[in-house]
Amino acid sequence: MNDVTGLLTLQTITGTGLRFGAHFASGREVTFDSGADSVAANPVEALLGALAACEAMDVISILRKKRLHVTAYHVEMGGERAESHPRRYTAITLTHRVTGRGVPQAAVAEALALSEGRYCSVRHTLDPAVPVTHRVEVLEA
Amino acid sequence: MNDVTGLLTLQTITGTGLRFGAHFASGREVTFDSGADSVAANPVEALLGALAACEAMDVISILRKKRLHVTAYHVEMGGERAESHPRRYTAITLTHRVTGRGVPQAAVAEALALSEGRYCSVRHTLDPAVPVTHRVEVLEA
């Protein structure tokens, strides 16, 4: 299925809260929030997380296909935003940090290049003018 | 603060699962998942939700400033994706449905236009080549 459909609902209908729940036709959900007392990521955070997770899902899938032994996987996410409205992202840096047993750095870099170039739907929906810098770190378990 | 930072962690390190948790410096969190047994939205769903929520947070904030009485707020989200990799979004349709007491449709349309044109950080980080179509529906409570 290539279509994504869902319903977003304002949960804090009274007061000044900005919490919204998104329910997708797939049955999956995500909550967005904003402001001082918020309980979930705001949309701008969620966008950065979606990009990082999209890439990381591709990378770990490829590493698993290669039978590489990964014991931990983290992505350090950093995004700079413009000072003035609409405060878009002006630069994103993602450091993919893979811990494992004998995982070659080149295998991670290659998997990440495949994600960037061919697979990551989120990356290819973002403005190509937003620079995304990648770093790869491999640690021995 | 204009910078967004956080750490994404693979939670399903064993097996074939693709669940990642993102923890932001703000203290807020979001979970991404993918595949048959997933429990949270996948990155592509989260991206669509982030766009809808970004706009809806702007719109409800503006309607509240105008002292308009909104009793329910939903956004119907629809996204079409390309058939072939990277399966980017090729068209997005967002129907903002506001229920209230005497809320003028023009007020909602105007708030949405402000979000699109000036405020929505997510929209302005997406590829401007992805067409986003908006509809506004106002229902009397």
Side-chain angles (χ1 to χ4, degrees):
Chain A
M1 192 181 72
N2 286 305
D3 289 352
V4 179
T5 59
L7 188 69
L8 182 79
T9 300
L10 176 58
Q11 295 175 341
T12 50
I13 192 67
T14 58
T16 58
L18 293 172
R19 191 170 67 249
F20 284 86
H23 301 252
F24 294 94
S26 63
R28 296 188 284 250
E29 304 185 352
V30 59
T31 304
F32 302 97
D33 206 346
S34 191
D37 56 349
S38 57
V39 297
N42 69 37
V44 172
E45 290 170 330
L47 177 66
L48 182 63
L51 174 61
C54 180
E55 292 184 354
M57 286 179 185
D58 290 341
V59 170
I60 189 66
S61 298
I62 293 167
L63 297 181
R64 282 170 175 165
K65 273 183 194 150
K66 291 184 175 177
R67 310 267 180 206
L68 293 169
H69 190 167
V70 174
T71 58
Y73 189 169
H74 300 278
V75 183
E76 256 184 40
M77 304 175 284
E80 291 170 25
R81 296 175 69 188
E83 294 284 341
S84 57
H85 290 300
R87 301 185 60 208
R88 74 191 74 190
Y89 278 111
T90 53
I92 292 174
T93 302
L94 298 172
T95 301
H96 289 255
R97 184 174 299 125
V98 174
T99 305
R101 300 208 175 86
V103 176
Q105 175 140 351
V108 181
E110 190 187 325
L112 187 54
L114 277 171
S115 175
E116 274 189 80
R118 193 183 305 175
Y119 291 117
C120 181
S121 305
V122 173
R123 176 64 187 113
H124 288 267
T125 302
L126 297 191
D127 190 339
V130 177
V132 181
T133 303
H134 293 96
R135 297 200 184 99
V136 170
E137 293 179 7
V138 174
L139 306 176
E140 192 60 24
Chain B
M1 194 181 73
N2 286 306
D3 289 353
V4 179
T5 58
L7 189 69
L8 182 79
T9 299
L10 176 58
Q11 295 175 339
T12 51
I13 192 68
T14 58
T16 58
L18 294 171
R19 190 170 69 247
F20 284 86
H23 301 252
F24 293 95
S26 63
R28 297 188 284 250
E29 304 185 353
V30 59
T31 304
F32 302 97
D33 207 346
S34 191
D37 55 351
S38 57
V39 296
N42 69 37
V44 172
E45 289 170 330
L47 177 66
L48 182 63
L51 174 62
C54 180
E55 292 185 354
M57 286 178 185
D58 289 341
V59 169
I60 189 66
S61 298
I62 293 167
L63 297 180
R64 283 170 175 166
K65 274 184 195 151
K66 291 185 175 177
R67 310 267 179 206
L68 293 168
H69 191 168
V70 174
T71 58
Y73 189 169
H74 299 278
V75 183
E76 256 184 40
M77 304 174 285
E80 291 171 24
R81 296 175 69 188
E83 295 283 342
S84 56
H85 290 298
R87 301 184 60 208
R88 74 191 76 191
Y89 277 111
T90 53
I92 292 173
T93 302
L94 299 172
T95 301
H96 289 256
R97 183 174 299 126
V98 173
T99 306
R101 299 206 176 88
V103 176
Q105 175 140 350
V108 181
E110 190 187 325
L112 187 54
L114 276 172
S115 175
E116 274 189 81
R118 193 182 306 174
Y119 291 117
C120 181
S121 304
V122 174
R123 176 64 186 111
H124 288 267
T125 302
L126 297 190
D127 191 339
V130 177
V132 181
T133 303
H134 292 96
R135 297 199 184 101
V136 170
E137 294 178 8
V138 174
L139 307 175
E140 193 60 24

